[in-house]
Amino acid sequence: MRRLVAEGAVVLGATSTPRGTTHQTWGHTDRGPTRNPWRPDLSPGGSSAGSAAAVAAGVVALATGTDGAGSSRIPAAWCGIFGYKPTTALAVPTGPAVPAVPAPLARDPRDLRLWADVVLGDLPPVGEAGTAVWAPDLGYAAHELDPEVVAVAHAAAQRLADRVGLRWTNPTVELLDPAIAWTALRDPAATVADRRAAAAVRAHNDDRLAELFTRADLLLTPTTPAGPHGHAGPGPRMSVALTWVFNLSGHPALSIPAGTTADGVPVGLQVVARPGADRALLDLAAACPAAAPAPSRPARRYP
């Protein structure tokens, strides 16, 4: 934040972050729930809940957030805006095993590049992304997927490929579910056996991703396996199922507005690049149109 202010950014205030919950995608604070500007009865996602809601509602053009398991990408997807998780090594050169990295949210994707120029500095030069693979479940999350959300994201992936000239490739993507690894690496009470199991999952996924990115420049998935849940909580579905694997691996990832479901709920398309290829990822985002504002609604009170 200090770097942004030094470059002339005007700070309007602090936004809400969920607290005291195991699954921080539902936006509850000590002041009540944070509401999704598209559907006030639904969560905006989290944990950068207030940031996403403020951007989607038109309060600010860009908001800061953090991303430790999808905490910028998930609310970006559910609020119909852009959310960017940098390559971990660029944002946090040293830190815990799964650091939460600074991660901005914006309506205009070009503002993400401005943020990166100030906060991350000069990004490593890379070539343009030319090839992509579509992998909706990453090999482990098929049981989590909502078919309608997958269809909306897939259609957006096709439009993106047409817009920027991506060529599809079809290597198999078979990762392991990162749940035990992410949990153990963030838990100071984890046993030695837990940490060994976590290391094994992480090493397997790192190897598979390294191989994948020798055959494709980009990996595309839905940002979340389903749409936003209500304010009562996430239930059994893991909203982080498709995001937290890239916090473990350190890859840069971006959520792009993909459209809406039949009932008007936003969906996100997640685009992942090889580590350090943030410039190509942000250039790709800049080729996308700015996000549509959340629809205006008559003033009313919600419980």
Side-chain angles (χ1 to χ4, degrees):
M1 181 65 74
R2 287 191 297 270
R3 294 180 182 178
L4 293 169
V5 171
E7 290 296 322
V10 177
V11 179
L12 297 187
T15 57
S16 58
T17 301
R19 59 193 68 173
T21 65
T22 301
H23 298 92
Q24 296 198 349
T25 57
W26 52 326
H28 271 280
T29 73
D30 53 5
R31 297 176 301 282
T34 305
R35 302 193 183 277
N36 190 317
W38 286 79
R39 281 273 303 273
D41 59 316
L42 298 177
S43 170
S47 55
S48 300
S51 291
V55 171
V59 177
V60 293
L62 179 142
T64 57
T66 58
D67 196 313
S71 293
S72 69
R73 288 163 287 160
I74 292 169
W78 288 356
C79 290
I81 59 175
F82 294 83
Y84 161 53
K85 184 201 87 69
T87 296
T88 299
L90 294 178
V92 186
T94 59
V98 191
V101 299
L105 303 99
R107 290 194 311 278
D108 189 326
R110 294 171 297 181
D111 289 335
L112 300 178
R113 182 59 184 269
L114 293 175
W115 178 93
D117 288 343
V118 172
V119 176
L120 303 179
D122 292 334
L123 296 174
V126 292
E128 290 184 0
T131 55
V133 59
W134 169 251
D137 64 14
L138 296 175
Y140 61 82
H143 64 290
E144 299 278 4
L145 300 181
D146 178 326
E148 185 181 14
V149 167
V150 174
V152 172
H154 186 243
Q158 296 283 7
R159 292 194 300 271
L160 179 65
D162 292 342
R163 181 182 299 119
V164 301
L166 293 176
R167 178 171 53 84
W168 293 108
T169 61
N170 58 353
T172 301
V173 181
E174 291 291 344
L175 305 182
L176 297 178
D177 189 334
I180 61 170
W182 192 94
T183 302
L185 292 169
R186 292 288 290 256
D187 182 4
T191 66
V192 171
D194 291 337
R195 295 189 184 279
R196 285 176 178 165
V201 169
R202 196 173 191 177
H204 173 92
N205 287 348
D206 286 351
D207 287 346
R208 298 289 79 73
L209 287 168
E211 180 182 1
L212 171 69
F213 281 108
T214 65
R215 303 176 63 187
D217 297 318
L218 300 171
L219 168 61
L220 279 67
T221 77
T223 304
T224 59
H229 49 70
H231 295 294
R237 181 173 263 140
M238 296 297 291
S239 302
V240 298
L242 300 172
T243 52
W244 58 356
V245 64
F246 304 112
N247 295 90
L248 282 167
S249 67
H251 289 69
L254 177 75
S255 184
I256 293 173
T260 60
T261 58
D263 60 353
V265 174
V267 172
L269 169 67
Q270 179 174 227
V271 185
V272 184
R274 59 177 60 88
D278 295 57
R279 180 181 293 185
L281 197 61
L282 294 173
D283 287 346
L284 183 82
C288 298
S296 299
R297 296 178 181 276
R300 58 167 290 189
R301 294 183 64 85
Y302 291 91

